[in-house]
Amino acid sequence: MSPQPNRRATGGLIDRSVSLNFSFDGKQYGGFAGDTLASALVANGVTLVGRSFKYHRPRGFLTAGSEEPNGLVELRTGARREPNTKATTVELYNGLAAMSQNRWPSLAFDIQSINNWFSPLLGAGFYYKTFMWPGFLWEKLYEPLIRRSAGLGRLSMESDPDSYEKVHAFCDVLVIGGGAAGLMAALAAGRSGARVILCDEDFRFGGRLLSERTEIDGTPCAEWAANVVAELDGLPNVTLLPSTTVFGVYDGGTYGAIEKVSDHLETPGPGQPRQRLWKIVAKRSVLAAGAIERPIVFGGNDTPGVMLASAVRTYVNRYAANPGKRAVVFTSSDDGWRTIADLAAAGIEIAAVVDPRLQVAPSLGDIAKRAHAPVFLGARLREANGGHALASLSIIGADNRERQVRADLLAVANGSNPNIGLTNHYGHRPVWNEEISAFVADVLLPGMSVAGAAAGRFALADILRTGADAGAKAAEDTGFSATMPPVPATTADPVSATPLWHVDKSRGKAFVDFQNDVTAKDVALAAQEGFRAIEHLKRYTTLGMATDQGKTSSVTGLAIMAELTGRSIPVTGVTIARPPHVPVAIGAFAGIHTGPHFKPTRLTSGHRWAEENGASFVEAGQWLRPQWFSRPGEMDWLETVNREVLAVRNGVGICDVSTLGKIDIQGPDAGILLDRVYINMFSTLAVGRARYGMMLREDGFAMDDGTTARFSETRYVMSTTTANAAKAMSHLEFARQVLWPELDVQTVSITEQWAQYAVAGPNARKLLQNLFGLAIDLSPEAFPYMGVAEFEFGGTTVRLFRLSFSGELAYEVAVPAHYGDALIRRLMAAGAEFGVTPYGTEALSVMRIEKGHVAGNELNGQTTAGDLGFGRMMSKKKDFIGRTLAARPGLVDPERPVFVGFKPVDPSRRLRAGAHFLGLGKAATTANDEGYMTSVAYSPNLGHWIGLGLIKHGPERLGERVRAYDPIRNGDVEVEICSPVFVDPEGARLQHV
Amino acid sequence: MSELFAPLPAFETAFPISDGLTIEERSGIGLATVMIRKDQSAALVKRVRSLYGINLPASPSRAGTDDLAFIGIGPGVWLAAGSSSSGFTSMLANDLEGLASVSDQSSGYAVLRLSGPKARTLLQKGVPIDLHPSVFRPEKAAVTVIAHIGCMLWQTDEGAFEVAVFRSMAGSFHHWLAASAAI
Amino acid sequence: MRLPCPFCGSRDLSEFTYLGDATAARPDPDAPDAASAFFDYAYLRDNPAGPHREYWYHAQGCRSWLTVERNTRTHEILSASLASGNVQ
Amino acid sequence: MQFSALSLAYNALTGHRHWKPTWRDAAPKDAYDIVIIGGGHGLAASYYLAKEFGFRNIAVLDKGWIGGGNIGRNTTIVRSNYLLPGNIPFYELSMKLWEKLEDDLNYNTMVSQRGVLNLFHSDAQRDAYARRGNAMRLEGVDAQLLHREEVRAMAPFLNFDNGRFPIQGGLLQKRGGTVRHDAVAWGYARAASDLGVDVVQNCEVTGFRIDNGKVEGVETSRGFIRAGKVAVAVAGNSSRVMSLAGMRLPIETHVLQAFVSEGLKPAIPGVITFGAGHFYISQSDKGGLVFGGDIDGYNSYAQRGNLPVIEDVCEGGMAVMPMLGRARLLRGWGGLMDMSMDGSPIIDRTPIDGLYLNAGWCYGGFKATPASGFCFAHLLATGTPHPTAEAYRLDRFETGHLIDEKGVGAQPNLH
Ligand SMILES: Cc1cc2nc3c(=O)[nH]c(=O)nc-3n(C[C@H](O)[C@H](O)[C@H](O)COP(=O)(O)OP(=O)(O)OC[C@H]3O[C@@H](n4cnc5c(N)ncnc54)[C@H](O)[C@@H]3O)c2cc1C
Ligand SMILES: NC(=O)c1ccc[n+]([C@@H]2O[C@H](COP(=O)([O-])OP(=O)(O)OC[C@H]3O[C@@H](n4cnc5c(N)ncnc54)[C@H](O)[C@@H]3O)[C@@H](O)[C@H]2O)c1
Ligand SMILES: Cc1cc2nc3c(=O)[nH]c(=O)nc-3n(C[C@H](O)[C@H](O)[C@H](O)COP(=O)(O)O)c2cc1C
Ligand SMILES: [Zn+2]
């Protein structure tokens, strides 16, 4: 490993006792614990770190934080490759591997930098004006080319191997940012006893205090910060979350934050997530997110080696890494002058200090003097030269003379923008504050206050005080009595700034948005073409739309637009910051809900038994249901299903129907409620009997169907379809609580309580008799079709329903779900002598189609009771939900397709659901469309395919042939319209004795 | 009793083990939803107090003991929990006849007890409600959701929580537990 | 967003489902103008920019239907009560 | 100035001095033959009124800057893969207009027909898509039903083997794709402006002057403007604007969020929608993954979204595309959408003479922009609905002739 040429031997907040190895573009380097990838690269003298989006210009680090536009890398390798990672935010770890991106074949030699030469053609919005001719070339040639050269890093295209966790948290005071202001806020609130969460996106608390050489209370500021953090750490009511960025403010005081849990490791530890998404509900928050320094727009200002002054100080002071040997400071703010002393202390020669202001505070001049730095007041930089690394700068003095200075580092300071993106998240825009020449929060979000540099306070004493104030106030607002911690003593540094947005006599490209290559010229072109509204400027030039979201560019861009159009900055306006404040991994928003855990899986109590018996499962909403039970030697599912169907029709079969919704409806008015939700009568249903019912939505369309049984005067049990169980439940609750609260009726879902099996086939009664013996009389007289009973058996309650979906003699047996597994085993044993066969949803469906029963495919929300053949079931004696609107002309139109059966004219042909019906010989046009096939099945009883569907005037056309048009599967079939009841139309099998 | 029918626990996989956290299934307990009949509020409160010595809670909280507790889960709705499912619902139905509608739910939920100093921390990850000891005090209850899975939870005594989830979702709930138990 | 359920307390949006306008009552089905009254009821919902009375269902909570007054511009919750009118 | 590669080159050589404002930033005149409110579909309507029907004395008023409404904040998907006869011909007309839009407008709106693929996960979903695909074929629209392996060939990165809802196949419309949203607004504004239409920004309509059941003009933040006819196309604000004319609409305003990732090298072909979750995605020419899901679910005029929906969308994304885990969500935003009671739009006259309505586009009106503009122009110019938009009547809710693609009924947040 090579030594770190730009690392100083002492100083900084790195741990030189812990050496770390890492690679960049395949080359090995060394760094120390406490480094970021960026600081380690700086320490190793690496200045070229990326290529820009459009022109592929060579780029170095501009900043040292999450606002970085240039220093993006592909971090890690293989499936863990992570594109567009800001090297300035990556905590260095041993074994880190990073690659530069958006360049080919290499970072140093990138073919596409040729775009730079064509840049006159590639200005803002160029693509809107060309590539139109010839039309077909757009998709074939132009667009693929544009796509390939656009984009930044590459996804691995492999499944993310890491996991993410989502957690909830609650607190009285959330402090966002742990710099001077945030630490004071947390201290004030924490000492009061309020529950405090302090987040900082950095892995170390302290903010700028880690990067400056000021003293607080006589101690170096970084040490002061460490002492405060230690005190906070000791307070049980304070939670410290380093490496955690608050990215969004949502309604009701909910804050989204993202914690890097193991991003500082090569791979997460066992059981550890990579990142954790925090959903923090805070009664109050203090935004102490600091401020972001602004660049100055001048020719070649993107040359590697041009950095924000605050970033230079961070590398120099915090990381003891010198980003250059000979520096120029270009500053329009007092703050920038601080850099001079720091550079000098780090042994960096200062070639020039350039300040466009004609006069500065005398104390600043002293700093320069001490550092032997030549000062140019009233001056500006016109151009930076050097290509891959800064070599020289040309200064235009107050005298308008141009001079060249040699330098490999330029520190730029142009005042700061308070970091207030989060205050925009409800849609408010910030307001311009003339005094500090920056936008500050206007309307504050409920519960939020702003402190420190984020509040536009740039003097350290103010920052500490506003932090303490905000923390104390927040604690008081949440019911704690806070005593303001004494504000520690600091030296008073001048903090004035007069921003210089754009050096108008710049030579060469002058960048506003570094990542998206938006230049001052692009802004001018936008103005010229009428894109003067600030949101137009953004969209036309893409200014502020890159991965840094304009944190270093938006305000500058609008200031230039303001200059160009002769409007003030506030009139020009500002674009809006939206969440997330920093880009957040999509995986983190998903948490554990990925792959098979996307949604919870519901398993019936018979699931294990079904697995043991070779079931294939199918999703039914969140449930898994056995679809069929294959046996060895069966060729395909159809063979299996045919066997299952025939077994039921000729013997007896068992099917798990536990997933059907079950609702317990009790109370004296239960029958009345049912009368109002069903189209038919239920209050007249006898105890011990069940009835089929259909419900409508209030708009008159069919909603759900099922049988409802009456167990006593005051108790009904409703069954719903699996798919609509939750919907039916909330519908009933609405009816009960909102429409008719005067009714004395109570409802609760008991779907989960009962395991339920259908036992169907000529031997069904015998099977049950075998099992239940004398516990119940199953004779047809005692227990007729649609009879229900509840009895005790084997130590538990059993509910028995004589219902039939299959058309056979059939029962449904229900026991509490704990006993579901036992029940199915018992049923199978009791049926062994009859060759009992378990069957799945597919056979169930075949039999219901054979019987012409409607199901989900027909109850698709677009059909009426009339369409489905239940028109006459709609009671005329009572009101029910949906009755009035079901009478609208469009719902009773005789031209509406109606439910009937279909069979292929050539019995060997297969039918398919989704085919449309056309009259024979009619053209395939929408005008001739008469309806469509809803459900199909192969009927092993009939030996051919059968179908159900909706067709105009269906019942009047039995025997007519039509075409089932299915071009999408090349499946045109001639079919005959028939009764939907294919098997046992008289219903004799139901009554099997 | 159960010579014919053997009940199965809802959870098939072992629970994650970690220091400061104990998770166990409470199986075989009796559960029932108790829903008040119209205008019977006062009478029901009185009946429950006189029969069981329990003050029916009017808010989301639990009153009673492991033998019999009433947990407020909705306006006029309680989950009654008893130590055994056997005869539990019919006892309540008889006792509260005319005053409340009672539905057996003994099989409807899988109930877990989480105890130990880390129980609260673990649950707090999952629930969108504040479990801080100053807010979610002993005997508090809530109906809420963890990882898309509806649940009812209550605190028995300091530090021990019980969580009831739909029985069919026990497996998915277990996945959340296992993924979150590394604290 | 968090909604103050009168029974459960402050709860996250994700526990609720939404139905909308709570200003209109279900019309009298026997009134002579029932057809148009029902059309109004089912289709012409209030849609103000500002305070709005609406139904929410605490589906993943106490299963209460709530009448909530909420500002549709700011999402501020102005009040919430049980739609049944029950006061516990 | 005509846009072309040549003019671009010429301008590049001459320092781009000759480009003109893309459209005239007009100040409102006192009176127009037709005043159109809303700079989305309204721009398209004004263009077709001018170009196809010869009107010149027209203004489009927008309360903000052009493109600031949904036309500038949607996920850019265009397709005509609809199910119901009321919809298919209309959206197909729109597809046809998209296909020649660039020539028409002399503006590159980047119509990119890279396909729209709707995944299905069950037999029932497959059959529902077959029903839809066949309905499309009946109307002469391209549609293909792909099985699993064909889907895999198109998008091998999908989660075929470890999903909660396994992918069984997909419905593909190859001619579907994306169009650059902003360019559509700007292109129409430029073309309309060139034909003499006044495109008036920052002009909010605050009232209608209605006399004897006939509209006379509009009150605006920039004064009264007299108009022979007034056409309202203010998605998201339809209820509010029409209430100024005393009308109640079968519409609710809901927020739909959308998201974009950081720029990435090409990863996703065309548009893919995940039928068992709430997730759809495409990739912009710039490389951002543009994705979204369901609406937030409650009435809102806040034009911003809430956290549960972001989670829901990303869960859906990770469920089908587990390689998205390390891609970062860069920005999310919301738009106000006119959710109608059956999920389909309204293009109709109103009971007020001279007042016309174009509304109810839900989350799908971007793709409709050309046809909506065209049909609205037809209605405004001729007084009769264009044949492809005949079903979009305002009275269909009362008569029960609903166009409910999803079958969820009068529940706007479910459409
Ligand atoms: C996030 C998102 C994603 C979407 N994705 C798609 C998609 O992929 N495909 C698709 O087809 N559709 C999509 N849509 C829907 C589509 O964007 C809209 O349906 C469509 O743009 C509506 O067009 P419009 O012209 O009616 O509305 P808009 O473009 O919103 O135009 C209405 C205009 O009216 C103006 N206005 C309002 N009130 C007044 C007033 N009082 N005075 C003057 N002006 C006023 C507004 O400022 C606005 O500019 C999406 C929508 C959103 C929000
Ligand atoms: N004199 C000047 O002109 C000037 C200008 C700017 C800053 N400063 C110096 O900067 C400091 C300002 O103190 P301060 O406390 O206001 O700011 P700070 O910059 O010191 O601290 C802000 C902290 O917030 C964190 N942060 C930002 N956004 C975050 C988010 N969304 N989530 C979590 N953490 C986030 C940052 O990582 C940082 O640590 C002082 O030391 C001051 O001297 C001076
Ligand atoms: C198709 C599409 C792609 C977008 N791509 C980006 C992008 O790359 N970067 C970005 O910052 N915003 C992008 N946006 C979002 C816009 O910045 C902006 O948020 C959106 O148009 C809504 O406007 P608003 O946020 O100003 O309300 C995109 C928007 C759309 C519709
Ligand atoms: Zn509640």
Side-chain angles (χ1 to χ4, degrees), chain D residues 364-387:
Chain D
F366 175 65
K367 67 178 92 68
T369 306
S372 167
F374 186 83
C375 295
F376 203 30
H378 185 281
L379 176 67
L380 286 162
T382 67
T384 51
H386 187 271

Side-chain angles (χ1 to χ4, degrees), chain A residues 2 4 10 38 74 113 129 174 179 195 209 256 431 444 467 469 630 695 742 750 756 762-764 847 910 936:
Chain A
S2 53
Q4 301 167 30
T10 56
E74 288 176 355
S113 57
K129 296 173 182 155
L174 170 67
R195 288 160 66 195
L209 299 178
V431 292
L444 284 182
D469 269 350
S630 315
M695 295 182 205
E742 69 281 4
I750 49 168
Q756 194 153 322
N763 291 326
M847 289 186 277
R910 175 180 186 155
V936 300

Side-chain angles (χ1 to χ4, degrees), chain D residues 37-42 61-79 82 91 203-206 233-238 240-241 244 255-258 280 333-338 358-359 361-369:
Chain D
I37 313 170
H41 289 190
L61 314 181
D62 200 290
K63 67 180 161 79
W65 39 280
I66 289 304
N70 293 325
I71 197 171
R73 53 182 68 244
N74 65 81
T75 43
T76 76
I77 299 166
V78 302
R79 55 181 176 89
Y82 278 75
Y91 286 99
C203 180
E204 177 165 3
V205 169
T206 53
V234 294
N237 283 293
S238 300
R240 293 180 58 213
V241 170
L244 300 173
V255 165
L256 179 67
Q257 301 193 58
Y280 65 93
W333 62 95
L336 304 190
M337 307 204 313
D338 260 10
N358 175 315
W361 292 99
C362 299
Y363 44 77
F366 175 65
K367 67 178 92 68
T369 306

Side-chain angles (χ1 to χ4, degrees), chain A residues 66 175-183 199-202 204-210 212 214 244-247 287-293 313 333-336 338 415-416 419 422 451-455 457-460 463 493-496 581-582:
Chain A
S66 63
V175 180
I176 306 164
L183 289 175
C199 295
D200 198 294
E201 63 182 351
D202 204 316
R204 189 167 180 144
F205 287 103
R208 290 299 309 161
L209 299 178
L210 308 176
E212 308 288 1
T214 326
T244 303
T245 307
V246 175
F247 63 77
L287 180 68
I292 295 171
E293 199 158 52
R313 295 201 299 279
S333 74
D334 297 354
D335 194 48
R338 288 203 216 184
S416 296
N419 188 6
L422 290 172
R457 305 309 186 106
F458 295 137
L460 189 51
I463 289 167
D493 290 319
V495 292
S496 92
H581 184 66
V582 296

Side-chain angles (χ1 to χ4, degrees), chain C residues 5 7-8 16 58 61-64:
Chain C
C5 173
F7 183 78
C8 302
F16 297 85
H58 198 181
C62 65
R63 292 194 290 122
S64 296

